[in-house]
């Protein structure tokens, strides 16, 4: 049995993923199991549920997860998160591994590690519904490498747009529509933008998206203010009108509340003056007094 792995707490040999560099150095230093040791531990796990054996199988393949995680660094997700998800896939592989099949764990685990990382990327990538079908997922995870092969060993092949012939070739190879290739290429080429400005942001820099994407209308103070205004416009206004005599209420309603559908506005002072047989100035005085009385009623509410 490998001495380095035969410890009471094998996980103590590996630091936390919070220090990624130290973690990678530690897992790279762990020795690999021989075929005989791997089969011995796998049988012990399957037959007796030996957790120490499971731990040694997992630890001896942590470097495999680190190597696979590097293949998915172009999706804007932290490598530590990719490694963590890959480790979950490795544990699933160890639990299902059958040494009697004549296959080494490294070959069997690769599928589970990649599958778990794939699911994580699709779940958490910055674009919603980036890959919903099996063909689209295949496009999502192969477009970068295919584009690199088509464009050659240039400094930045991902920034060069595919030609129509190259789009058709990718679509034919991956069994998707050319429109899906174009859409996926556009999404993959889009850069991430920080919502908040960095701490050392200078005054001349453009405003961060958080400054114009936030919905001020949903702030609690705005909601309360809008609710009070709506209350004022409905029941509050009705209560204020009830404080007026019939003529004053009629004048206020005709002037400000009974607006015609043709956007011509309420009645004029002269129209109301002719209706009540008084001067326009008298109608104005009644209106001013009524508005003052209503304002007092609203403030007292």
């Amino acid at each position: 049995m490998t001495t380095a792995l035969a410890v009471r707490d094998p996980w103590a040999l590996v630091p936390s993923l919070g220090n990624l560099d130290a973690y990678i150095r530690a897992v790279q230093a762990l020795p690999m199991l021989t075929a005989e040791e791997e089969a011995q531990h796998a049988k012990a796990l399957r037959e007796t549920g030996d957790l120490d054996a499971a731990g040694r199988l997992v630890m001896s393949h942590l470097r495999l997860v680190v190597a696979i995680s590097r293949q998915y660094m172009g999706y804007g997700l932290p490598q530590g998160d990719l490694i963590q998800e890959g480790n979950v896939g490795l544990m699933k592989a160890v639990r299902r591994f059958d040494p009697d099949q004549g296959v080494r764990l490294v070959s069997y685990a690769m599928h589970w590690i990649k599958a778990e990382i794939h699911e994580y990327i699709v779940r958490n990538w910055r674009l919603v519904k980036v890959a919903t079908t099996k063909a689209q997922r295949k496009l999502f995870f192969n477009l970068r490498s295919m584009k690199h092969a088509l464009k050659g060993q240039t400094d930045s092949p991902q920034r060069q747009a595919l030609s129509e012939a190259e789009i058709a070739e990718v679509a034919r190879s991956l069994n998707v529509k050319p429109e899906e290739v174009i859409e996926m290429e556009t999404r993959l080429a889009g850069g991430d933008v920080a919502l908040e400005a960095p701490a050392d942001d200078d005054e001349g820099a453009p405003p961060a998206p958080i400054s114009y994407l936030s919905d001020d209308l949903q702030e609690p103070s705005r909601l309360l203010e809008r609710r009070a205004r709506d209350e004022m416009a409905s029941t509050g206004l009705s209560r204020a009108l009830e404080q007026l005599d019939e003529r004053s209420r009629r004048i206020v309603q005709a002037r400000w509340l009974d607006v015609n559908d043709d956007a011509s506005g309420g009645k004029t002072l002269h129209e109301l003056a002719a209706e009540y047989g008084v001067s326009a100035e008298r109608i104005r005085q009644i209106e001013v007094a009524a508005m003052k009385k209503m304002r007092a009623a609203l403030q007292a509410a």
Side-chain angles (χ1 to χ4, degrees):
M1 182 181 297
T2 305
T3 303
L5 294 176
V7 295
R8 179 173 298 178
D9 184 8
W11 299 107
L13 297 174
V14 181
S16 167
L17 269 170
N19 188 339
L20 186 59
D21 291 337
Y23 175 88
I24 293 176
R25 286 195 300 270
V27 300
Q28 294 291 358
L30 292 174
M32 296 292 292
L33 295 174
T34 65
E36 292 75 14
E37 290 171 336
E38 180 177 290
Q40 176 186 348
H41 293 315
K43 289 179 180 178
L45 172 62
R46 185 179 59 180
E47 295 173 1
T48 66
D50 188 344
L51 295 182
D52 285 341
R56 295 184 183 104
L57 288 170
V58 170
M59 288 186 62
S60 64
H61 290 80
L62 291 178
R63 67 176 69 195
L64 174 64
V65 177
V66 172
I68 293 176
S69 71
R70 293 195 181 102
Q71 302 173 18
Y72 300 94
M73 293 293 291
Y75 296 99
L77 296 171
Q79 187 181 10
D81 292 351
L82 297 174
I83 292 174
Q84 183 169 300
E85 295 298 321
N87 286 344
V88 173
L90 173 60
M91 294 176 192
K92 291 181 178 180
V94 167
R95 188 169 67 244
R96 293 169 172 82
F97 180 58
D98 183 0
D100 294 334
Q101 296 296 322
V103 178
R104 292 294 300 270
L105 178 57
V106 63
S107 301
Y108 181 75
M110 287 180 65
H111 164 76
W112 289 94
I113 295 169
K114 289 184 176 181
E116 206 69 27
I117 293 177
H118 284 190
E119 288 299 320
Y120 172 75
I121 293 174
V122 171
R123 263 196 333 266
N124 296 278
W125 208 50
R126 65 182 180 270
L127 297 173
V128 179
K129 295 183 180 179
V130 67
T132 55
T133 67
K134 184 176 180 180
Q136 287 175 332
R137 291 192 178 202
K138 187 176 180 181
L139 171 62
F140 179 74
F141 288 107
N142 287 276
L143 182 57
R144 289 178 183 272
S145 58
M146 293 189 68
K147 189 172 181 180
H148 194 284
L150 290 169
K151 292 300 182 182
Q153 300 297 324
T154 59
D155 292 336
S156 54
Q158 304 305 332
R159 295 188 179 182
Q160 302 179 26
L162 292 172
S163 64
E164 292 185 7
E166 292 168 337
I167 291 172
E169 181 178 348
V170 172
R172 184 170 53 255
S173 300
L174 299 178
N175 193 29
V176 295
K177 298 178 181 178
E179 294 79 9
E180 292 178 321
V181 177
I182 296 173
E183 180 184 5
M184 190 67 70
E185 182 187 20
T186 303
R187 291 180 172 185
L188 290 174
D192 292 328
V193 179
L195 283 177
E196 297 183 357
D200 57 350
D201 189 25
D202 59 84
E203 295 183 358
I210 194 67
S211 64
Y212 53 82
L213 290 180
S214 59
D215 187 3
D216 293 337
L217 295 179
Q218 299 306 316
E219 291 183 358
S221 59
R222 294 294 186 90
L223 290 173
L224 292 174
E225 180 182 343
R226 189 162 64 250
R227 188 178 303 168
R229 187 171 60 249
D230 293 342
E231 175 75 12
M232 185 84 66
S234 56
T235 59
L237 182 58
S238 298
R239 286 196 299 266
L241 284 171
E242 291 174 358
Q243 305 300 315
L244 305 178
D245 60 77
E246 183 178 351
R247 184 174 64 171
S248 297
R249 184 165 57 251
R250 159 70 178 145
I251 290 174
V252 170
Q253 287 180 325
R255 288 277 290 153
W256 302 106
L257 301 180
D258 298 338
V259 180
N260 297 329
D261 293 336
D262 59 3
S264 59
K267 289 192 174 184
T268 66
L269 294 174
H270 291 284
E271 288 174 336
L272 289 170
E275 180 179 334
Y276 283 100
V278 297
S279 66
E281 175 61 20
R282 178 56 184 156
I283 295 296
R284 189 192 67 79
Q285 293 174 354
I286 295 174
E287 178 187 5
V288 170
M291 297 294 282
K292 183 177 180 180
K293 193 171 183 179
M294 288 180 63
R295 190 176 299 111
L298 290 171
Q299 291 175 351

